[in-house]
Amino acid sequence: MNVPPCCDLIPDHIRQLAPYQPGKPMSELERELGLTSIIKLASNENPLGPSPKALGALQGLSQAFSLYPDGNGFELKTALSHRYRLDVDHWILGNGSNDLLDLVARTFLGPGTSAVYSRYAFAVYALATQAVGAVGLEVPDLDFGHDLEAMLAAIRPDTRVIFIANPNNPTGTFLDGKTLRRALARVPAEVVVVLDEAYTEYLSDVHRYDSFSLLREFDNLLVCRTFSKAYGLAGLRVGCAAGHPELIAFLNRLRQPFNVSVPGLLAATAALQDEEFLSMTRRVNDQGRAQLVAAFQRLDLLFIPSWGNFISVAVADGAAMYQGLLRQGVIVRPLAAYAMPNYLRVTVGTEAENERFIESLEKLL
Ligand SMILES: *Cc1c(COP(=O)(O)O)cnc(C)c1O
């Protein structure tokens, strides 16, 4: 197809963007292969579905669909404030936490600036950085995780943002709270640290650290959370971030006024109170992760120990194995886009889903 001439004038940094590759939707595989019983372990979604409290909050909502949402998200922010003991003006809400990562880039980055992130870290950091014409400084990993020393050393005078995912996706690696805090203390005050904790709810009590208390020490810290993973609300698109009120106010200048939907706000507010669902989610994940680990060990497959609701496992040919699994109705995530062509990332599912994945995998090995 011919490219309209108006597109010739699109700036180079946008031309060179490689679009984010999402997990394959089940409906697409259904259309392509005519399969019926498909399982998706590709996008780190909650296999238990949404929080029941969130579902309850959505009952009888249809009238509200004709009204704009509260652009200020007062009720959700109030609920977050109570839950995490942090005043309302410390919070910002996003259309998923992706929206917030993008907002950070648009607020702090641009041509002539740079952002630091790790090799094998969440792909959106590089995308958001490049999208605004900034330079991405990708730092070599340390055993698939963040090498904080190297990341600190990579900071240049033009660096404005450091992205840290903890636990990291797609590798599942984890930095303990003390290590993190020591590193934060060495980041120049002019550089924003984005601490992306999309999987923090999956940590066990021994590993959990209080990232919100770090905000009292570090004015340049922004802690990002999401309702997409452990709360089971990926389809509703709600994320949140906490930081210094003045930093938050700058992000708010660029935020779309109604970036979180009516159902998103209601569901997230209710989900936040759903401790029971959260602990069940954690329990199912712990068991499922152990189930996958045991299978990988039995099959002599190399895997990266994970602190999240997914595991990345090495196979001879990731692309071929991915296709083979698809043909059996099992969707996982190939990691070629992360320069890990012999790895697949599998989301921890229910016991039955994990079993089906393991059987399919074993057949193909
Ligand atoms: C899934 C994920 C997110 C964001 O997901 P949203 O659905 O946009 O909230 C952010 N960071 C990491 C590391 C993730 O894996």
Side-chain angles (χ1 to χ4, degrees):
M1 208 184 295
N2 69 317
V3 180
C6 56
C7 296
D8 293 343
L9 302 175
I10 292 173
D12 276 346
H13 65 270
I14 292 177
R15 274 172 190 292
Q16 284 154 14
L17 281 177
Y20 180 79
Q21 294 176 6
K24 195 179 189 65
M26 292 199 270
S27 54
E28 191 178 301
L29 186 62
E30 225 170 277
R31 280 197 303 274
E32 287 173 2
L33 296 184
L35 296 173
T36 45
S37 74
I38 291 170
I39 59 169
K40 185 183 179 207
L41 301 174
S43 301
N44 302 344
E45 293 144 332
N46 192 326
L48 303 178
S51 136
K53 284 201 173 160
L55 285 181
L58 297 180
Q59 294 300 314
L61 199 61
S62 50
Q63 267 305 314
F65 292 162
S66 59
L67 304 175
Y68 279 105
D70 171 6
N72 189 32
F74 177 79
E75 283 175 23
L76 178 52
K77 284 196 211 166
T78 304
L80 287 163
S81 299
H82 288 150
R83 176 91 154 73
Y84 298 116
R85 295 172 214 282
L86 213 53
D87 286 346
V88 172
D89 59 357
H90 284 72
W91 293 97
I92 183 167
L93 306 177
N95 191 250
S97 56
N98 241 289
D99 183 27
L100 297 165
L101 298 172
D102 207 54
L103 262 183
V104 168
R106 287 165 53 215
T107 305
F108 290 96
L109 300 173
T113 67
S114 66
V116 170
Y117 45 81
S118 176
R119 186 181 182 200
Y120 306 138
F122 190 42
V124 169
Y125 310 149
L127 276 176
T129 299
Q130 288 160 22
V132 295
V135 171
L137 303 173
E138 187 184 281
V139 176
D141 61 296
L142 185 66
D143 298 330
F144 290 107
H146 294 69
D147 183 343
L148 290 179
E149 280 303 323
M151 289 178 76
L152 288 166
I155 295 172
R156 310 193 305 204
D158 71 355
T159 299
R160 298 286 176 271
V161 178
I162 301 181
F163 291 100
I164 298 173
N166 202 36
N168 183 45
N169 170 23
T171 58
T173 54
F174 175 69
L175 298 161
D176 68 82
K178 279 197 184 117
T179 306
L180 202 58
R181 185 170 167 276
R182 275 198 302 271
L184 284 173
R186 292 167 57 200
V187 176
E190 298 77 25
V191 177
V192 176
V193 181
V194 174
L195 182 56
D196 180 354
E197 299 187 325
Y199 301 97
T200 198
E201 291 85 2
Y202 292 99
L203 294 173
S204 63
D205 291 338
V206 274
H207 289 112
R208 182 154 318 105
Y209 56 95
D210 183 359
S211 43
F212 295 119
S213 80
L214 293 172
L215 292 173
R216 280 182 258 284
E217 276 179 88
F218 304 108
D219 289 344
N220 58 339
L221 177 62
L222 187 75
V223 178
C224 293
R225 298 277 180 100
T226 182
F227 289 89
S228 297
K229 309 283 160 61
Y231 291 102
L233 300 177
L236 289 180
R237 315 299 308 125
V238 192
C240 60
H244 189 285
E246 293 297 331
L247 189 164
I248 295 293
F250 276 108
L251 295 177
N252 263 320
R253 294 183 190 201
L254 283 180
R255 183 178 61 82
Q256 286 194 35
F258 304 109
N259 62 333
V260 188
S261 70
V262 168
L265 288 170
L266 281 169
T269 306
L272 204 56
Q273 327 293 336
D274 206 341
E275 282 300 333
E276 199 184 326
F277 179 72
L278 215 54
S279 49
M280 184 163 69
T281 291
R282 202 175 291 135
R283 198 164 56 241
V284 168
N285 190 62
D286 287 346
Q287 289 165 355
R289 202 169 47 192
Q291 184 187 358
L292 291 174
V293 163
F296 296 153
Q297 286 170 337
R298 178 172 59 80
L299 298 170
D300 233 355
L301 293 173
L302 217 63
F303 63 93
I304 308 171
S306 169
W307 273 258
N309 66 338
F310 55 88
I311 307 183
S312 289
V313 59
V315 291
D317 180 345
M321 185 60 84
Y322 168 67
Q323 293 296 337
L325 287 168
L326 280 185
R327 283 192 292 275
Q328 301 195 48
V330 178
I331 313 177
V332 297
R333 188 73 76 91
L335 294 181
Y338 280 91
M340 295 167 68
N342 57 337
Y343 277 85
L344 294 176
R345 189 195 68 194
V346 58
T347 301
V348 177
T350 60
E351 188 181 354
E353 288 172 333
N354 299 332
E355 201 45 53
R356 176 145 163 226
F357 160 72
I358 293 163
E359 277 172 19
S360 304
L361 182 70
E362 204 168 349
K363 249 188 256 172
L364 292 163
L365 282 170

